[in-house]
Amino acid sequence: MRWLEGSPERYDAGMRLLTFGRIAKLHAAVAEAAVAAPDDRVLEIGCGTGAVTALLQGRGAHVTAIDQSPEMLEQAQRRPSGKSAAPVEWLEQTAAEIDRLPTAAYDSVVLCLCLSDMSSSERAFVLRESALRLAAGGRLVVADEVRAPRGWRRATQRLWRIPQACLGWLLVGSLSRPLPDLAGEIRNAGMHVTRARAWMLGSLQLVVAERRP
Ligand SMILES: C[S@@+](CC[C@H](N)C(=O)[O-])C[C@H]1O[C@@H](n2cnc3c(N)ncnc32)[C@H](O)[C@@H]1O
C-alpha cells in the first residue's frame, strides 16, 4: 500500500476502493483483537491516518501511535476522537526505533498494513522487538497484505494485482509487496500464533500471537 502513503488525504478513500470496503472490517477486527479491556496500553506501529488508532481509543485504550511519516501523523491527529477518549501519544519515529520504548509495557502491539513496507531483516527485528514490548499475557496483532494460498485464490490475486499495480505505478511509481509467510515470520520472532483470519480470497490476513512463556 506504499503508493497511497504519499498522499495521506487520499489514503482512506483509496484503501476503501482497493479493498472493496473490506478495510473497515479489517480495522475493526484489529481493534477488537488488540483491546481486551478498557485502559489497555496499546503500541500501534505505522498508524498512518489514524483509522485504527481511533477505534482503539473508542474501546478505551491508551494508545502510543508511531509513524515515520510526518504527513500521515498530521492527518491522524486531525481525526476527531470521542470526548472521553484518552489522549494518544503520537511519536514520529521509525519502527526500527521501537527499541527505545520501554519493555514489557504494553498489553498489545499492533501493526496494521505496515510490515509489508519493510525489508525482511527489518520485519524480523521489529517483530522481535515488539514481542519484548509486551507485558505478561500481552498480544501481538498484525494485519497485512499476504500472498494468497496456492491454487485458484493465488491465480485470482495475480489477476487482481494487474490493475492494482498499474494504478499504483501510474500514481507514484512503486508497488506493494504481499508478505509470503506472515504467521511464519511471527513464529520465528518467538511468538505463539493463537488466531489467524483472512479476507479478500486470503490476500489480507490478521494474525494474533502471544509471547512464548
Ligand atoms: C499502508 S499504511 C497503514 C496505515 C494504518 N495502519 C492503516 O491500517 O490504515 C502504512 C503506514 O506505515 C508507516 N510505515 C511504514 N514503514 C514504517 C516504518 N518502518 N516505521 C514507521 N512507520 C512506517 C507508513 O508511513 C504508513 O503511514
Side-chain angles (χ1 to χ4, degrees), residues 152-201:
W152 65 273
R153 283 181 293 193
R154 174 86 57 92
T156 312
Q157 184 186 39
R158 284 205 178 122
L159 279 180
W160 165 238
R161 280 187 62 74
I162 296 169
Q164 192 189 35
C166 291
L167 194 55
W169 191 259
L170 281 173
L171 282 174
V172 289
S174 72
L175 301 174
S176 65
R177 293 163 300 181
L179 300 170
D181 181 15
L182 176 56
E185 291 190 34
I186 291 172
R187 281 191 206 98
N188 289 342
M191 305 284 294
H192 171 64
V193 172
T194 56
R195 201 153 30 112
R197 192 175 161 190
W199 291 263
M200 293 184 64
L201 305 171

Short mmCIF file of all heavy atoms in Angstrom, two decimals, residues 152-201:
data_model
loop_
_atom_site.label_atom_id
_atom_site.label_comp_id
_atom_site.label_asym_id
_atom_site.label_seq_id
_atom_site.Cartn_x
_atom_site.Cartn_y
_atom_site.Cartn_z
N TRP A 152 -6.54 -21.55 -6.95
CA TRP A 152 -7.35 -20.54 -7.64
C TRP A 152 -7.28 -19.19 -6.95
O TRP A 152 -7.34 -18.14 -7.59
CB TRP A 152 -8.80 -21.02 -7.79
CG TRP A 152 -9.53 -21.18 -6.48
CD1 TRP A 152 -9.54 -22.28 -5.69
CD2 TRP A 152 -10.33 -20.20 -5.82
NE1 TRP A 152 -10.30 -22.06 -4.58
CE2 TRP A 152 -10.81 -20.79 -4.63
CE3 TRP A 152 -10.70 -18.89 -6.11
CZ2 TRP A 152 -11.62 -20.11 -3.73
CZ3 TRP A 152 -11.52 -18.22 -5.22
CH2 TRP A 152 -11.97 -18.82 -4.05
N ARG A 153 -7.08 -19.19 -5.60
CA ARG A 153 -7.03 -17.89 -4.91
C ARG A 153 -5.76 -17.13 -5.28
O ARG A 153 -5.76 -15.92 -5.46
CB ARG A 153 -7.13 -18.10 -3.40
CG ARG A 153 -8.56 -18.38 -2.99
CD ARG A 153 -8.69 -18.55 -1.53
NE ARG A 153 -8.02 -19.76 -1.09
CZ ARG A 153 -8.17 -20.31 0.11
NH1 ARG A 153 -8.95 -19.75 0.99
NH2 ARG A 153 -7.53 -21.41 0.43
N ARG A 154 -4.62 -17.87 -5.40
CA ARG A 154 -3.37 -17.22 -5.81
C ARG A 154 -3.52 -16.66 -7.23
O ARG A 154 -3.11 -15.55 -7.53
CB ARG A 154 -2.22 -18.23 -5.72
CG ARG A 154 -0.87 -17.76 -6.25
CD ARG A 154 -0.03 -16.99 -5.24
NE ARG A 154 0.26 -17.70 -4.02
CZ ARG A 154 1.34 -18.46 -3.81
NH1 ARG A 154 2.23 -18.61 -4.78
NH2 ARG A 154 1.54 -19.04 -2.65
N ALA A 155 -4.17 -17.48 -8.12
CA ALA A 155 -4.34 -17.04 -9.51
C ALA A 155 -5.23 -15.80 -9.57
O ALA A 155 -4.92 -14.84 -10.29
CB ALA A 155 -4.95 -18.19 -10.32
N THR A 156 -6.31 -15.80 -8.78
CA THR A 156 -7.22 -14.64 -8.77
C THR A 156 -6.49 -13.41 -8.23
O THR A 156 -6.64 -12.30 -8.74
CB THR A 156 -8.47 -14.93 -7.91
OG1 THR A 156 -8.98 -16.19 -8.29
CG2 THR A 156 -9.54 -13.88 -8.09
N GLN A 157 -5.67 -13.62 -7.19
CA GLN A 157 -4.92 -12.49 -6.62
C GLN A 157 -3.99 -11.90 -7.68
O GLN A 157 -3.88 -10.69 -7.82
CB GLN A 157 -4.10 -12.95 -5.42
CG GLN A 157 -3.39 -11.79 -4.73
CD GLN A 157 -2.45 -12.25 -3.61
OE1 GLN A 157 -1.77 -13.26 -3.74
NE2 GLN A 157 -2.41 -11.50 -2.52
N ARG A 158 -3.34 -12.79 -8.47
CA ARG A 158 -2.42 -12.28 -9.51
C ARG A 158 -3.18 -11.43 -10.53
O ARG A 158 -2.72 -10.37 -10.93
CB ARG A 158 -1.75 -13.45 -10.22
CG ARG A 158 -0.66 -14.06 -9.38
CD ARG A 158 0.37 -14.76 -10.25
NE ARG A 158 1.41 -15.28 -9.38
CZ ARG A 158 1.76 -16.55 -9.31
NH1 ARG A 158 1.18 -17.43 -10.09
NH2 ARG A 158 2.71 -16.93 -8.50
N LEU A 159 -4.39 -11.91 -10.91
CA LEU A 159 -5.18 -11.17 -11.88
C LEU A 159 -5.57 -9.80 -11.33
O LEU A 159 -5.48 -8.78 -12.01
CB LEU A 159 -6.47 -11.93 -12.21
CG LEU A 159 -6.34 -13.05 -13.23
CD1 LEU A 159 -7.68 -13.72 -13.44
CD2 LEU A 159 -5.81 -12.49 -14.56
N TRP A 160 -5.99 -9.80 -10.04
CA TRP A 160 -6.43 -8.55 -9.40
C TRP A 160 -5.27 -7.58 -9.27
O TRP A 160 -5.42 -6.37 -9.36
CB TRP A 160 -7.07 -8.87 -8.05
CG TRP A 160 -7.22 -7.66 -7.17
CD1 TRP A 160 -6.72 -7.49 -5.93
CD2 TRP A 160 -7.91 -6.45 -7.49
NE1 TRP A 160 -7.05 -6.25 -5.44
CE2 TRP A 160 -7.78 -5.58 -6.39
CE3 TRP A 160 -8.61 -6.01 -8.61
CZ2 TRP A 160 -8.33 -4.31 -6.37
CZ3 TRP A 160 -9.15 -4.72 -8.59
CH2 TRP A 160 -9.02 -3.91 -7.48
N ARG A 161 -4.06 -8.12 -9.08
CA ARG A 161 -2.91 -7.23 -8.86
C ARG A 161 -2.50 -6.48 -10.13
O ARG A 161 -1.79 -5.49 -10.05
CB ARG A 161 -1.73 -8.03 -8.30
CG ARG A 161 -1.88 -8.27 -6.81
CD ARG A 161 -0.65 -8.89 -6.20
NE ARG A 161 0.54 -8.07 -6.31
CZ ARG A 161 0.76 -6.98 -5.59
NH1 ARG A 161 -0.12 -6.56 -4.73
NH2 ARG A 161 1.89 -6.29 -5.76
N ILE A 162 -2.95 -6.97 -11.30
CA ILE A 162 -2.54 -6.28 -12.53
C ILE A 162 -3.11 -4.84 -12.56
O ILE A 162 -2.35 -3.88 -12.62
CB ILE A 162 -2.92 -7.09 -13.79
CG1 ILE A 162 -2.13 -8.40 -13.78
CG2 ILE A 162 -2.67 -6.29 -15.06
CD1 ILE A 162 -2.59 -9.41 -14.82
N PRO A 163 -4.47 -4.66 -12.44
CA PRO A 163 -4.96 -3.26 -12.43
C PRO A 163 -4.47 -2.49 -11.21
O PRO A 163 -4.16 -1.29 -11.31
CB PRO A 163 -6.49 -3.42 -12.39
CG PRO A 163 -6.75 -4.83 -11.99
CD PRO A 163 -5.56 -5.63 -12.41
N GLN A 164 -4.35 -3.18 -10.07
CA GLN A 164 -3.90 -2.51 -8.84
C GLN A 164 -2.46 -1.98 -9.04
O GLN A 164 -2.14 -0.84 -8.71
CB GLN A 164 -3.93 -3.51 -7.69
CG GLN A 164 -3.77 -2.89 -6.34
CD GLN A 164 -3.60 -3.96 -5.26
OE1 GLN A 164 -3.00 -4.99 -5.48
NE2 GLN A 164 -4.14 -3.68 -4.10
N ALA A 165 -1.61 -2.83 -9.60
CA ALA A 165 -0.21 -2.45 -9.81
C ALA A 165 -0.11 -1.30 -10.82
O ALA A 165 0.66 -0.37 -10.64
CB ALA A 165 0.59 -3.66 -10.28
N CYS A 166 -0.95 -1.37 -11.89
CA CYS A 166 -0.91 -0.32 -12.91
C CYS A 166 -1.28 1.03 -12.28
O CYS A 166 -0.61 2.04 -12.50
CB CYS A 166 -1.87 -0.62 -14.05
SG CYS A 166 -1.37 -2.02 -15.01
N LEU A 167 -2.35 1.01 -11.47
CA LEU A 167 -2.81 2.24 -10.82
C LEU A 167 -1.70 2.78 -9.90
O LEU A 167 -1.37 3.97 -9.91
CB LEU A 167 -4.07 1.91 -10.01
CG LEU A 167 -4.91 3.07 -9.52
CD1 LEU A 167 -5.32 3.98 -10.68
CD2 LEU A 167 -6.17 2.53 -8.84
N GLY A 168 -1.12 1.90 -9.11
CA GLY A 168 -0.06 2.30 -8.19
C GLY A 168 1.14 2.86 -8.93
O GLY A 168 1.70 3.90 -8.55
N TRP A 169 1.50 2.19 -10.00
CA TRP A 169 2.66 2.65 -10.77
C TRP A 169 2.40 4.02 -11.39
O TRP A 169 3.26 4.90 -11.35
CB TRP A 169 2.99 1.62 -11.85
CG TRP A 169 4.30 1.89 -12.48
CD1 TRP A 169 4.53 2.47 -13.69
CD2 TRP A 169 5.57 1.62 -11.90
NE1 TRP A 169 5.88 2.59 -13.90
CE2 TRP A 169 6.54 2.07 -12.82
CE3 TRP A 169 5.99 1.06 -10.70
CZ2 TRP A 169 7.91 1.97 -12.58
CZ3 TRP A 169 7.35 0.96 -10.46
CH2 TRP A 169 8.28 1.41 -11.39
N LEU A 170 1.16 4.20 -11.92
CA LEU A 170 0.82 5.49 -12.53
C LEU A 170 0.86 6.61 -11.49
O LEU A 170 1.31 7.72 -11.77
CB LEU A 170 -0.58 5.42 -13.12
CG LEU A 170 -0.69 4.74 -14.47
CD1 LEU A 170 -2.14 4.60 -14.88
CD2 LEU A 170 0.08 5.53 -15.53
N LEU A 171 0.37 6.31 -10.29
CA LEU A 171 0.26 7.38 -9.27
C LEU A 171 1.61 7.74 -8.67
O LEU A 171 1.96 8.91 -8.57
CB LEU A 171 -0.70 6.95 -8.17
CG LEU A 171 -2.18 7.06 -8.53
CD1 LEU A 171 -3.04 6.48 -7.43
CD2 LEU A 171 -2.57 8.50 -8.79
N VAL A 172 2.35 6.74 -8.21
CA VAL A 172 3.61 7.10 -7.52
C VAL A 172 4.81 6.26 -7.93
O VAL A 172 5.89 6.41 -7.37
CB VAL A 172 3.48 7.03 -5.98
CG1 VAL A 172 2.64 8.12 -5.43
CG2 VAL A 172 3.00 5.69 -5.54
N GLY A 173 4.62 5.36 -8.87
CA GLY A 173 5.77 4.63 -9.38
C GLY A 173 6.33 3.58 -8.43
O GLY A 173 7.53 3.31 -8.45
N SER A 174 5.51 3.01 -7.55
CA SER A 174 6.01 1.88 -6.74
C SER A 174 4.88 0.88 -6.49
O SER A 174 3.71 1.17 -6.72
CB SER A 174 6.60 2.38 -5.43
OG SER A 174 5.58 2.81 -4.57
N LEU A 175 5.27 -0.30 -6.04
CA LEU A 175 4.30 -1.39 -5.87
C LEU A 175 4.30 -1.88 -4.43
O LEU A 175 5.29 -1.78 -3.73
CB LEU A 175 4.72 -2.57 -6.76
CG LEU A 175 4.82 -2.30 -8.25
CD1 LEU A 175 5.37 -3.53 -8.96
CD2 LEU A 175 3.46 -1.94 -8.82
N SER A 176 3.15 -2.45 -4.01
CA SER A 176 3.12 -3.07 -2.68
C SER A 176 3.66 -4.49 -2.81
O SER A 176 3.67 -5.08 -3.89
CB SER A 176 1.70 -3.07 -2.13
OG SER A 176 0.88 -3.87 -2.92
N ARG A 177 4.10 -5.05 -1.67
CA ARG A 177 4.71 -6.39 -1.70
C ARG A 177 4.03 -7.29 -0.68
O ARG A 177 4.37 -7.24 0.51
CB ARG A 177 6.21 -6.30 -1.37
CG ARG A 177 7.01 -5.58 -2.43
CD ARG A 177 8.33 -5.15 -1.90
NE ARG A 177 8.18 -4.25 -0.76
CZ ARG A 177 9.17 -3.69 -0.10
NH1 ARG A 177 10.41 -3.96 -0.44
NH2 ARG A 177 8.95 -2.89 0.92
N PRO A 178 3.06 -8.12 -1.11
CA PRO A 178 2.39 -9.02 -0.16
C PRO A 178 3.41 -9.93 0.52
O PRO A 178 4.37 -10.39 -0.10
CB PRO A 178 1.44 -9.83 -1.05
CG PRO A 178 1.29 -9.05 -2.30
CD PRO A 178 2.55 -8.27 -2.49
N LEU A 179 3.19 -10.19 1.82
CA LEU A 179 4.14 -11.00 2.59
C LEU A 179 3.98 -12.47 2.25
O LEU A 179 2.86 -12.98 2.19
CB LEU A 179 3.90 -10.77 4.08
CG LEU A 179 4.08 -9.32 4.54
CD1 LEU A 179 3.59 -9.14 5.97
CD2 LEU A 179 5.55 -8.93 4.43
N PRO A 180 5.10 -13.19 2.09
CA PRO A 180 4.98 -14.60 1.71
C PRO A 180 4.51 -15.51 2.84
O PRO A 180 3.83 -16.49 2.61
CB PRO A 180 6.41 -14.98 1.27
CG PRO A 180 7.30 -13.92 1.82
CD PRO A 180 6.47 -12.69 2.05
N ASP A 181 4.87 -15.20 4.10
CA ASP A 181 4.52 -16.12 5.21
C ASP A 181 4.44 -15.33 6.52
O ASP A 181 5.35 -15.41 7.36
CB ASP A 181 5.58 -17.22 5.30
CG ASP A 181 5.26 -18.21 6.41
OD1 ASP A 181 4.12 -18.22 6.91
OD2 ASP A 181 6.17 -18.97 6.78
N LEU A 182 3.35 -14.58 6.69
CA LEU A 182 3.22 -13.70 7.86
C LEU A 182 3.25 -14.50 9.16
O LEU A 182 4.02 -14.18 10.08
CB LEU A 182 1.93 -12.89 7.74
CG LEU A 182 1.59 -11.98 8.92
CD1 LEU A 182 2.71 -11.00 9.20
CD2 LEU A 182 0.28 -11.22 8.65
N ALA A 183 2.44 -15.55 9.25
CA ALA A 183 2.40 -16.33 10.50
C ALA A 183 3.77 -16.94 10.81
O ALA A 183 4.21 -16.95 11.96
CB ALA A 183 1.33 -17.41 10.41
N GLY A 184 4.47 -17.40 9.77
CA GLY A 184 5.80 -18.00 9.96
C GLY A 184 6.79 -16.97 10.50
O GLY A 184 7.60 -17.27 11.39
N GLU A 185 6.73 -15.75 9.98
CA GLU A 185 7.67 -14.71 10.45
C GLU A 185 7.39 -14.38 11.92
O GLU A 185 8.31 -14.09 12.69
CB GLU A 185 7.54 -13.45 9.59
CG GLU A 185 8.06 -13.66 8.18
CD GLU A 185 8.16 -12.37 7.38
OE1 GLU A 185 8.47 -11.32 7.96
OE2 GLU A 185 7.94 -12.43 6.15
N ILE A 186 6.11 -14.41 12.29
CA ILE A 186 5.74 -14.11 13.68
C ILE A 186 6.25 -15.24 14.60
O ILE A 186 6.80 -14.99 15.67
CB ILE A 186 4.21 -13.90 13.79
CG1 ILE A 186 3.85 -12.59 13.08
CG2 ILE A 186 3.75 -13.88 15.23
CD1 ILE A 186 2.37 -12.32 12.93
N ARG A 187 6.10 -16.47 14.13
CA ARG A 187 6.63 -17.60 14.93
C ARG A 187 8.15 -17.50 15.06
O ARG A 187 8.71 -17.74 16.13
CB ARG A 187 6.28 -18.93 14.25
CG ARG A 187 4.86 -19.33 14.50
CD ARG A 187 4.60 -20.77 14.04
NE ARG A 187 3.20 -20.89 13.74
CZ ARG A 187 2.67 -20.83 12.52
NH1 ARG A 187 3.44 -20.69 11.46
NH2 ARG A 187 1.37 -20.91 12.36
N ASN A 188 8.82 -17.13 13.99
CA ASN A 188 10.29 -17.02 14.04
C ASN A 188 10.75 -15.95 15.02
O ASN A 188 11.90 -15.96 15.46
CB ASN A 188 10.86 -16.69 12.65
CG ASN A 188 10.75 -17.87 11.72
OD1 ASN A 188 10.57 -19.00 12.17
ND2 ASN A 188 10.84 -17.61 10.41
N ALA A 189 9.84 -15.02 15.35
CA ALA A 189 10.20 -13.97 16.33
C ALA A 189 9.93 -14.46 17.75
O ALA A 189 9.99 -13.68 18.70
CB ALA A 189 9.39 -12.71 16.04
N GLY A 190 9.61 -15.75 17.89
CA GLY A 190 9.44 -16.32 19.23
C GLY A 190 8.04 -16.20 19.77
O GLY A 190 7.82 -16.33 20.97
N MET A 191 7.06 -15.95 18.87
CA MET A 191 5.68 -15.77 19.32
C MET A 191 4.86 -17.02 19.00
O MET A 191 5.15 -17.75 18.07
CB MET A 191 5.04 -14.56 18.62
CG MET A 191 5.79 -13.26 18.76
SD MET A 191 5.57 -12.52 20.37
CE MET A 191 3.85 -12.12 20.36
N HIS A 192 3.81 -17.19 19.78
CA HIS A 192 2.91 -18.32 19.58
C HIS A 192 1.63 -17.80 18.92
O HIS A 192 0.91 -16.99 19.53
CB HIS A 192 2.64 -18.96 20.96
CG HIS A 192 1.58 -19.99 20.93
ND1 HIS A 192 1.71 -21.17 20.23
CD2 HIS A 192 0.35 -20.05 21.51
CE1 HIS A 192 0.62 -21.89 20.38
NE2 HIS A 192 -0.22 -21.23 21.15
N VAL A 193 1.36 -18.25 17.70
CA VAL A 193 0.17 -17.75 16.98
C VAL A 193 -1.09 -18.39 17.56
O VAL A 193 -1.19 -19.61 17.67
CB VAL A 193 0.28 -18.06 15.46
CG1 VAL A 193 -1.03 -17.74 14.74
CG2 VAL A 193 1.44 -17.28 14.85
N THR A 194 -2.03 -17.54 17.99
CA THR A 194 -3.26 -18.07 18.61
C THR A 194 -4.46 -17.96 17.68
O THR A 194 -5.46 -18.63 17.88
CB THR A 194 -3.58 -17.31 19.92
OG1 THR A 194 -3.67 -15.92 19.63
CG2 THR A 194 -2.53 -17.55 20.98
N ARG A 195 -4.38 -17.08 16.69
CA ARG A 195 -5.55 -16.87 15.82
C ARG A 195 -5.11 -16.30 14.48
O ARG A 195 -4.18 -15.48 14.44
CB ARG A 195 -6.47 -15.85 16.49
CG ARG A 195 -7.88 -15.89 16.00
CD ARG A 195 -8.92 -15.42 17.00
NE ARG A 195 -8.54 -14.43 17.96
CZ ARG A 195 -9.02 -13.17 17.98
NH1 ARG A 195 -9.83 -12.75 17.05
NH2 ARG A 195 -8.68 -12.35 18.96
N ALA A 196 -5.76 -16.73 13.42
CA ALA A 196 -5.50 -16.14 12.10
C ALA A 196 -6.82 -16.07 11.35
O ALA A 196 -7.65 -16.97 11.48
CB ALA A 196 -4.49 -16.97 11.34
N ARG A 197 -6.99 -15.00 10.61
CA ARG A 197 -8.24 -14.80 9.88
C ARG A 197 -7.90 -14.13 8.55
O ARG A 197 -6.93 -13.35 8.50
CB ARG A 197 -9.13 -13.88 10.73
CG ARG A 197 -10.53 -13.81 10.27
CD ARG A 197 -11.32 -12.97 11.26
NE ARG A 197 -12.53 -12.53 10.58
CZ ARG A 197 -13.36 -11.63 11.05
NH1 ARG A 197 -13.14 -11.07 12.22
NH2 ARG A 197 -14.43 -11.29 10.38
N ALA A 198 -8.66 -14.42 7.50
CA ALA A 198 -8.32 -13.85 6.19
C ALA A 198 -9.53 -13.22 5.52
O ALA A 198 -10.68 -13.60 5.79
CB ALA A 198 -7.74 -14.95 5.30
N TRP A 199 -9.26 -12.24 4.67
CA TRP A 199 -10.28 -11.57 3.85
C TRP A 199 -9.78 -11.55 2.41
O TRP A 199 -8.60 -11.77 2.17
CB TRP A 199 -10.48 -10.11 4.29
CG TRP A 199 -11.12 -9.92 5.61
CD1 TRP A 199 -12.45 -9.69 5.86
CD2 TRP A 199 -10.49 -9.93 6.90
NE1 TRP A 199 -12.66 -9.55 7.21
CE2 TRP A 199 -11.48 -9.70 7.86
CE3 TRP A 199 -9.18 -10.13 7.32
CZ2 TRP A 199 -11.21 -9.64 9.21
CZ3 TRP A 199 -8.90 -10.09 8.67
CH2 TRP A 199 -9.91 -9.84 9.60
N MET A 200 -10.68 -11.20 1.51
CA MET A 200 -10.34 -10.99 0.10
C MET A 200 -9.54 -12.16 -0.47
O MET A 200 -8.38 -12.00 -0.87
CB MET A 200 -9.58 -9.68 -0.07
CG MET A 200 -10.45 -8.46 0.23
SD MET A 200 -9.61 -6.94 -0.09
CE MET A 200 -9.35 -7.02 -1.84
N LEU A 201 -10.17 -13.32 -0.45
CA LEU A 201 -9.58 -14.55 -1.02
C LEU A 201 -8.23 -14.87 -0.40
O LEU A 201 -7.32 -15.38 -1.05
CB LEU A 201 -9.41 -14.41 -2.54
CG LEU A 201 -10.66 -14.06 -3.34
CD1 LEU A 201 -10.32 -13.75 -4.79
CD2 LEU A 201 -11.66 -15.20 -3.27
#
